[in-house]
Amino acid sequence: MPPQVGRDGAAYQPDHYGTLRKYDEKGTVLWTTDFAGFGTFTPLQGPDGRLYIVTDGALFGQQSRHIVTDEGRVAWSG
């Protein structure tokens, strides 16, 4: 899955295990957030800096949606 470059120059990289990582411009991991399920799509960053993420959810074929703060905290899931 391709990374998303944020407004601050950080890269947000999802993987197929349901993990999202934020990297700085030097490639240092700033935070890691794990989601239930086995797939995380490339996140979109809103104008407020929050990330909007869709995962495959805990059950295959069921998508879950999440909002993640710039600090890597899940602010909302549904």
Side-chain angles (χ1 to χ4, degrees):
M1 287 154 246
Q4 169 71 32
V5 177
R7 291 169 165 59
D8 58 359
Y12 299 92
Q13 178 67 56
D15 67 21
H16 59 280
Y17 297 110
T19 301
L20 177 67
R21 291 179 180 84
K22 179 181 180 179
Y23 296 90
D24 67 11
E25 63 278 348
K26 295 180 181 178
T28 303
V29 177
L30 300 175
W31 52 254
T32 301
T33 301
D34 294 311
F35 301 96
F38 292 101
T40 303
F41 297 95
T42 302
L44 298 174
Q45 190 172 38
D48 59 359
R50 297 188 305 172
L51 299 174
Y52 297 87
I53 301 163
V54 175
T55 65
D56 75 350
L59 301 172
F60 292 101
Q62 173 191 355
Q63 292 186 335
S64 297
R65 289 149 182 83
H66 310 277
I67 297 174
V68 178
T69 66
D70 190 45
E71 298 81 28
R73 186 180 57 82
V74 177
W76 180 86
S77 291

